[in-house]
Amino acid sequence: MIYADNAATTQMSKAAINAMLYCMEETWGNPSSLYGLGQRAKEALEDARERLAACIGASPREITFTSGGSEADNQAIRSAALLGARKGKRHIISTAFEHHAVLHTLKKLEGEGFEVELLSVGELGTVTAQQVSEAIREDTALVTIMYANNEIGSVLPIPEIGAVCRERGVLFHTDAVQAAGHLPIDVKAQNIDMLSLSAHKFHGPKGIGVLYARRGISLTNLIEGGAQERGKRAGTENVPAIVGMAAALEEACAHIEENTAKVSDLRDRLIAGLSQIPHAALNGDPVNRLPGNVNFCFEGIEGESLLLLLDDRGICASSGSACTSGSLDPSHVLLAIGRPHEVAHGSLRLSLCEENTEADVDTILEAVPEIVSYLRNMSPLWKDKVSGKKEFVL
Ligand SMILES: *Cc1c(COP(=O)(O)O)cnc(C)c1O
């Protein structure tokens, strides 16, 4: 099997699994209990918090554990919205191609009287600090812009956007779920006030994530109950997952440079090979791009059919995002970069990690062109294009 869907989830690392096993066998107490077993769990929890904080340049008390990236996004945005509303600020700036955890939260806030402005991301799928600067108003409560896009891999100018927000005194949140463990993050140097990350995107376990909030930013609870996480997130902490997340992020951050070099080489070979297919186009920024992301539109095919035929050959890939597959709507990200509906339906995302090999790339480069031709040959629409009855889009 070739796993090329690391933007959807990643295989857990041995370090993460071993850390979790030890925790489940030895430090399984409740961290709120006062006897030794509980206190050892508490120590494991606080040790993980310190190590995770160090990976992003934060201090431990700025780290709140959540159930994953979605919850961290929800809590960051709701907290900033509430802080803004208290001062009469109800304007929120974001982009058209955020993850649904962000977009759907913003939609709800619109219904609660907030004004949401989604910046356009252009053909390359990015926004500039200048665009953000021009959009900021007296009543702007929050700017929330992702670090890197999960579908098309564009990496955004986060330090520059952070600097603009800091200068204008506006809170800045970034969904860094696709960046953490893959790109260097330093919340202080990059002027980030709030940041979300999720363990299962960097070889950690599912169902656990982090919300970083700069000291002084008061979080709103989404979950009420006990006083865990300094009263900001109730519920007994998932200590094994938290410990596994710390092990995974430390390992990923220790190898960022070599992994980036290796994975971006594989990515560039895939992009060069797939570009040979006629009437195909790369999606996303060709330069400022996640090391593992490859995303193409192929005219005249359905992404779902392509995925099924790739699966027959043991290749795991994605079309649109995992969250929207199963629905017939084309990806909001591809529409945001201006791909017409027809073409947006024929997309393929391959997302690599350091476990992928040159041989994987060769196999994919053999399979995709064959399957694309096969599907095109069956399509009446494609025949009309070839015969000149209809025009090509790409
Ligand atoms: C995966 C992902 C999320 C959601 O994270 P979960 O831990 O699965 O809830 C949010 N944002 C981005 C950019 C993602 O890729």
Side-chain angles (χ1 to χ4, degrees):
M1 186 195 73
I2 295 176
Y3 187 74
D5 202 15
N6 288 278
T9 197
T10 55
Q11 185 177 21
M12 278 184 66
S13 68
K14 286 280 177 295
I17 293 172
N18 289 337
M20 289 183 76
L21 276 177
Y22 182 83
C23 184
M24 289 188 281
E25 281 170 353
E26 306 292 336
T27 54
W28 48 268
N30 187 324
S32 300
S33 300
L34 293 180
Y35 41 77
L37 181 66
Q39 287 309 297
R40 283 200 298 284
K42 174 89 180 159
E43 279 163 25
L45 175 67
E46 294 313 320
D47 174 63
R49 195 188 308 276
E50 273 176 35
R51 289 155 53 206
L52 283 157
C55 289
I56 59 168
S59 68
R61 52 178 293 140
E62 296 172 314
I63 300 294
T64 302
F65 294 118
T66 67
S67 65
S70 299
E71 186 185 331
D73 284 342
N74 274 255
Q75 191 169 13
I77 293 168
R78 288 236 161 240
S79 300
L82 197 74
L83 288 171
R86 282 194 195 134
K87 298 186 204 154
K89 299 181 177 185
R90 295 186 156 261
H91 178 238
I92 300 175
I93 298 168
S94 188
T95 76
F97 75 163
E98 297 295 312
H99 190 272
H100 283 137
V102 169
L103 287 178
H104 291 176
T105 304
L106 294 177
K107 196 89 220 137
K108 280 221 160 159
L109 286 172
E110 265 181 342
E112 295 167 24
F114 287 85
E115 184 189 340
V116 175
E117 184 173 346
L118 299 182
L119 302 178
S120 66
V121 296
E123 281 178 19
L124 291 184
T126 192
V127 297
T128 61
Q130 167 97 15
Q131 271 176 287
V132 175
S133 175
E134 283 164 8
I136 290 177
R137 310 189 315 210
E138 283 296 306
D139 64 340
T140 303
L142 169 71
V143 171
T144 172
I145 294 181
M146 68 200 322
Y147 203 122
N149 184 274
N150 47 304
E151 288 188 41
I152 58 173
S154 309
V155 177
L156 281 74
I158 291 307
E160 290 80 1
I161 294 171
V164 164
C165 294
R166 185 62 53 86
E167 195 188 306
R168 308 281 287 279
V170 176
L171 282 181
F172 175 45
H173 165 254
T174 186
D175 173 340
V177 172
Q178 289 291 330
H182 308 286
L183 301 171
I185 295 177
D186 183 335
V187 290
K188 298 276 163 350
Q190 297 172 333
N191 290 310
I192 296 166
D193 294 314
M194 289 189 275
L195 174 142
S196 312
L197 58 80
S198 171
H200 76 100
K201 305 290 176 72
F202 51 77
H203 304 290
K206 290 168 187 56
I208 194 73
V210 160
L211 171 55
Y212 153 80
R214 181 170 54 75
R215 201 177 170 158
I217 297 173
S218 145
L219 294 179
T220 305
N221 288 52
L222 299 185
I223 304 201
E224 305 290 348
Q228 293 91 352
E229 297 300 289
R230 297 163 61 240
K232 299 305 177 191
R233 207 285 186 177
T236 304
E237 302 87 344
N238 188 348
V239 186
I242 289 167
V243 164
M245 170 163 63
L249 190 61
E250 264 186 345
E251 191 182 36
C253 288
H255 297 100
I256 273 189
E257 281 180 28
E258 63 199 82
N259 287 346
T260 298
K262 178 183 176 190
V263 178
S264 53
D265 269 359
L266 297 175
R267 172 199 67 191
D268 293 343
R269 280 195 49 211
L270 260 185
I271 290 177
L274 295 176
S275 301
Q276 304 296 311
I277 298 176
H279 305 286
L282 178 70
N283 296 311
D285 192 322
V287 181
N288 297 312
R289 192 173 189 96
L290 282 170
N293 178 287
V294 175
N295 189 317
F296 272 85
C297 280
F298 301 112
E299 185 163 1
I301 65 156
E302 288 292 332
E304 282 72 29
S305 318
L306 175 55
L307 290 191
L308 291 177
L309 293 171
L310 283 171
D311 185 32
D312 283 345
R313 299 187 187 206
I315 300 170
C316 307
S318 153
S319 175
S321 65
C323 327
T324 39
S325 55
S327 95
L328 287 176
D329 292 335
S331 139
H332 70 288
V333 174
L334 296 176
L335 297 181
I337 60 168
R339 295 289 182 214
H341 274 246
E342 181 201 327
V343 172
H345 275 296
S347 74
L348 172 68
R349 179 187 71 187
L350 298 156
S351 44
L352 307 172
C353 77
E354 62 284 357
E355 301 295 330
N356 288 110
T357 63
E358 301 250 336
D360 291 349
V361 169
D362 292 339
T363 307
I364 294 170
L365 284 180
E366 212 176 280
V368 175
E370 279 174 22
I371 298 171
V372 168
S373 322
Y374 171 78
L375 291 172
R376 281 176 172 171
N377 288 335
M378 293 197 314
S379 149
L381 179 63
W382 182 256
K383 289 201 180 94
D384 283 351
K385 293 188 182 210
V386 173
S387 69
K389 266 195 224 153
K390 290 221 169 71
E391 295 215 348
F392 285 108
V393 183
L394 296 178

